[in-house]
């Protein structure tokens, strides 16, 4: 662990970006209360949301595009599309989302996304995960109660079970009528928020998607005191950030910590209030990164954030679909709330609320989800540029979780026996290991093979041995642009095509970025795909 300047027994962050006044106290973290200027809304920011007229124009043009693209979207006569939401991305590009129904039933995997330019005048792309036109009987032969009983068997302990919903499961090449049963509970080893799809004709489980995405981390603090956004007034303060709606931090009950003063934590690795200081610091930096670098409005793309909980009694951290939860290291002397671990877990929220939402089941989609967390960890470290946790491409590099150092190396995943390259074995590879190929791709895109400046070299799996990076900000913009076109099931092949489309849309006056995206995917053995865009 790097050395820290000490003041009154509390670690002090020696970073020029911190206000000088922050160094006048010897205890806790200073808080910046709601109402201050958002630091991300600066001149030249990628956050340039379109005006109301442009949004209306985008929706109108998207509606017309749906009508003209019926065959490509595999639209059946009984299909209907309902406009769900519109999300703005980098430089104000717009993404209009539609839900599909078939004979009145929701279609899982049938969502459509239409992307336009900032003005809404020009449609740039239309994507959907559905690959077959629907033609099936919508009368279930398996009763809802029977489907619920089957679904409950997928968890070791069931805490809640929602009423089964009859849907069409179209996230595979063979759409089927299914009961979707939503459960909460536990597997043998972890919490679970599980969606089970039971074939409504045969009673067999055909798919299941768990919203709980697990990660690991450390408790390497960001310096004390640090400035965080809180709320309240004299005598009554809360670790609730009202400028980032939904963001707060507290214990396992979910309620934000409160106290009579606005100085939080004591710098100890076992103090849960201190863990919340670190969690809020990282989450707020990630939120600002999303606006300033990627043009995204909050974790969900619509101005929303999610709570953080600390004090989990596991050597773990996770996102469960509605909040993040952070445990401790194996020695139980540090909480799992450094920048990259917190940003990783909120990265799962970004993944969940990008594109069509879901990514499908399976280890390939899970690996891309885990990689997304790692990428947002690296991006947030780069944006925060904190002297206590300098930007890098190691995951959890300060934690000695089980005595084996960093959890993953993005620039060379094989250093932890994870795959550097995509292969046919990835869909059957454990999800954290399956993060390797996309992590490797991102490093090659951002930094290249021989970046210099003390950054590590990175090998290639095939093709030219020397690649030049485009920088982490541009790589992040392209990566998020690709996520905005995500459909289920999400695969490396789809990610390649989506990020090429994003590069072409975001950097339309240049082929440098486009060619770098293409070269980096080829370098990790994700080959050219039929119908992928070209850059003249």
């Amino acid at each position: 662990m790097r050395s820290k300047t000490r003041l009154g027994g509390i670690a002090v962050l020696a970073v020029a970006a911190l206000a000088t006044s922050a160094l006048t106290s010897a205890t806790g973290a200073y808080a910046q209360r709601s109402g201050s200027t958002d630091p991300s809304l600066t001149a030249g920011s990628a956050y340039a949301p379109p005006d109301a007229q442009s949004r209306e124009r985008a929706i109108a043009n998207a509606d017309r595009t749906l009508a003209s693209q019926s065959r490509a979207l595999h639209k059946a006569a009984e299909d209907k599309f309902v406009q769900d939401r519109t999300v703005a991305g980098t430089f104000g590009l717009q993404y209009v989302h539609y839900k599909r129904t078939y004979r009145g039933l929701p279609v899982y995997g049938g969502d459509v996304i239409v992307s336009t330019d900032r003005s809404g005048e020009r449609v740039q792309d239309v994507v959907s995960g559905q690959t077959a036109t629907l033609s099936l009987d919508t009368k279930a032969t398996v009763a809802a109660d029977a489907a619920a009983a089957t679904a409950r068997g997928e968890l070791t302990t069931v805490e809640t079970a929602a009423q089964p919903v009859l849907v069409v499961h179209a996230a595979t090449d063979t759409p089927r009528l299914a009961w979707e049963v939503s459960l909460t509970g536990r597997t043998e080893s972890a919490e679970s928020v599980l969606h089970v799809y039971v074939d409504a004709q045969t009673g067999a489980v055909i798919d299941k998607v768990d919203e709980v995405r697990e990660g690991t981390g450390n408790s390497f603090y960001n310096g004390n005191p640090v400035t965080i956004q809180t709320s309240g007034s004299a005598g009554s303060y809360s670790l609730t950030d009202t400028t980032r709606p939904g963001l707060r931090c507290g214990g396992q009950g979910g309620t934000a910590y409160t106290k009579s003063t606005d100085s939080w934590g004591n710098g100890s690795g076992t103090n849960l209030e201190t863990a919340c200081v670190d969690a809020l610091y990282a989450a707020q930096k990630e939120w600002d990164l999303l606006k300033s670098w990627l043009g995204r409005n909050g974790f969900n793309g619509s101005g929303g954030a999610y709570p953080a909980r600390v004090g989990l009694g596991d050597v773990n951290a996770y996102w469960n679909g509605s909040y993040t939860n952070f445990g401790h290291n194996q020695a139980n002397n540090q909480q799992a709330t450094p920048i990259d671990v917190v940003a990783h877990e909120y990265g799962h929220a970004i993944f969940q609320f990008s594109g069509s939402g879901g990514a499908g089941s399976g280890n390939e989609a899970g690996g891309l989800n885990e990689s997304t967390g790692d990428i947002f960890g690296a991006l947030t470290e780069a944006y925060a540029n904190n002297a206590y946790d300098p930007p890098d491409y190691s995951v959890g590099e300060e934690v000695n979780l089980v005595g084996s150092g960093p959890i993953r190396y993005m620039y060379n995943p094989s250093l932890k026996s994870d795959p550097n390259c995509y292969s046919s074995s990835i869909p059957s590879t454990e999800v954290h290991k399956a993060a390797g190929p996309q992590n490797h791709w991102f490093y090659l895109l951002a930094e290249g093979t021989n970046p210099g400046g003390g950054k590590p070299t990175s090998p290639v799996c095939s093709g030219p041995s020397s690649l030049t990076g485009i920088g982490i900000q541009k790589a992040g913009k392209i990566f998020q642009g690709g996520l905005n076109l995500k459909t289920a099931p999400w695969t490396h092949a789809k990610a390649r095509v989506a990020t090429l489309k994003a590069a072409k849309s975001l950097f339309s006056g240049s082929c440098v970025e486009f060619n770098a995206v293409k070269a980096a995917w080829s370098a990790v053995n994700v080959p050219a795909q039929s119908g992928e865009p070209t850059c003249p």
Side-chain angles (χ1 to χ4, degrees):
M1 183 176 291
R2 285 176 285 277
S3 62
K4 300 180 179 70
T5 305
R6 307 297 296 184
L7 177 61
I10 302 298
V12 177
L13 179 59
V15 179
L18 289 179
T20 303
S21 61
L23 299 178
T24 60
S25 172
T27 60
Y30 277 91
Q32 177 181 350
R33 283 173 293 285
S34 302
S36 62
T37 302
D38 187 334
S40 70
L41 298 178
T42 56
S45 172
Y47 183 63
D51 57 28
Q53 186 176 16
S54 297
R55 287 195 295 272
E56 292 173 1
R57 190 182 300 119
I59 292 169
N61 283 327
D63 287 345
R64 284 191 286 270
T65 299
L66 283 188
S68 66
Q69 296 288 325
S70 294
R71 179 171 295 184
L73 294 172
H74 301 285
K75 182 179 183 297
E78 298 89 344
D79 282 0
K80 292 186 182 301
F81 294 109
V82 178
Q83 197 251 316
D84 180 45
R85 61 191 177 118
T86 301
V87 175
T90 306
F91 304 139
L93 298 184
Q94 300 191 69
Y95 302 86
V96 186
H97 295 243
Y98 295 86
K99 296 291 186 183
R100 187 191 308 240
T101 62
Y102 176 75
R103 297 183 178 178
L105 299 180
V107 180
Y108 173 68
D111 293 7
V112 176
I113 304 167
V114 180
S115 65
T116 77
D117 62 5
R118 186 177 188 275
S119 70
E121 293 178 352
R122 185 168 67 89
V123 171
Q124 296 182 324
D125 204 6
V126 184
V127 296
S128 176
Q130 188 170 312
T131 60
T133 303
L134 299 179
S135 177
L136 69 163
D137 186 358
T138 55
K139 183 178 180 180
T141 58
V142 174
D145 289 349
T150 298
R152 294 173 73 95
E154 298 297 313
L155 288 180
T156 304
T157 303
V158 175
E159 296 172 358
T160 66
Q163 185 69 24
V165 176
L166 194 61
V167 303
V168 176
H169 187 289
T172 66
D173 292 337
T174 306
R176 285 182 277 184
L177 188 70
W179 290 106
E180 179 185 1
V181 185
S182 300
L183 308 169
T184 66
R186 288 189 65 87
T187 65
E188 290 183 359
S189 59
E191 289 194 27
S192 180
V193 179
L194 189 66
H195 299 268
V196 182
Y197 295 88
V198 179
D199 193 309
Q201 307 296 345
T202 68
V205 173
I206 58 175
D207 199 4
K208 52 187 178 179
V209 179
D210 200 330
E211 291 184 20
V212 175
R213 311 308 306 185
E214 295 185 358
T216 51
N218 65 10
S219 178
F220 185 68
Y221 302 110
N222 304 298
N224 263 319
V226 294
T227 298
I228 57 172
Q229 197 85 25
T230 66
S231 60
S233 57
S236 178
Y237 298 95
S238 171
L239 284 180
T240 299
D241 182 351
T242 56
T243 69
R244 299 171 178 86
L247 183 59
R248 63 181 183 271
C249 188
Q252 291 299 289
T255 304
Y257 287 146
T258 59
K259 64 190 305 186
S260 60
T261 65
D262 205 13
S263 180
W264 303 87
N266 63 8
S268 165
T270 57
N271 180 262
L272 296 184
E273 194 175 285
T274 299
C276 269
V277 170
D278 288 330
L280 283 183
Y281 174 86
Q284 289 167 359
K285 290 296 183 184
E286 188 169 17
W287 175 286
D288 295 345
L289 149 78
L290 290 170
K291 271 193 175 180
S292 294
W293 284 7
L294 309 186
R296 183 176 175 87
N297 186 13
F299 295 126
N300 67 0
S302 302
Y306 301 93
R309 299 184 183 186
V310 297
L312 175 68
D314 291 328
V315 183
N316 199 7
Y318 63 79
W319 158 256
N320 80 340
S322 57
Y323 60 85
T324 57
N325 206 348
F326 301 96
H328 53 79
N329 65 0
Q330 188 160 290
N332 202 15
N333 60 7
Q334 293 178 321
Q335 304 305 304
T337 50
I339 293 174
D340 60 354
V341 172
V342 174
H344 174 104
E345 300 309 333
Y346 279 108
H348 289 312
I350 297 165
F351 184 88
Q352 180 174 329
F353 292 100
S354 291
S356 64
S361 60
N363 287 13
E364 182 168 5
L368 290 165
N369 195 340
E370 290 301 330
S371 169
T372 296
D374 291 349
I375 288 170
F376 275 104
L379 281 165
T380 306
E381 283 187 350
Y383 179 83
N385 199 24
N386 188 313
Y388 279 96
D389 191 358
D392 55 46
Y393 294 87
S394 299
V395 181
E397 65 277 359
E398 302 297 337
V399 68
N400 190 17
L401 188 71
V402 291
S404 59
I407 302 161
R408 288 181 290 281
Y409 293 98
M410 298 175 69
Y411 58 89
N412 189 354
S414 65
L415 293 176
K416 297 297 289 186
S417 299
D418 299 337
N420 281 4
C421 317
Y422 184 80
S423 71
S424 59
S425 67
I426 290 297
S428 59
T429 300
E430 189 275 330
V431 294
H432 295 88
K433 289 184 172 295
Q438 186 174 257
N439 280 353
H440 191 193
W441 164 80
F442 187 80
Y443 186 83
L444 291 172
L445 177 62
E447 306 294 347
T449 51
N450 299 282
K455 296 178 180 178
T457 60
S458 182
V460 298
C461 306
S462 59
S465 60
S466 180
L467 300 180
T468 300
I470 61 174
I472 193 169
Q473 286 195 43
K474 283 186 175 180
K477 287 177 170 65
I478 291 167
F479 178 68
Q480 180 62 60
L483 285 183
N484 289 338
L485 298 173
K486 173 170 63 69
T487 60
W490 194 231
T491 64
H492 287 79
K494 283 187 175 182
R496 173 181 168 123
V497 174
T499 50
L500 286 172
K501 289 177 176 179
K504 192 169 183 178
S505 296
L506 293 169
F507 303 100
S508 57
S510 167
C511 287
V512 171
E513 295 80 9
F514 180 94
N515 289 334
V517 172
K518 183 169 64 173
W521 279 121
S522 296
V524 298
N525 286 351
V526 179
Q529 302 297 307
S530 174
E532 75 178 28
T534 60
C535 192

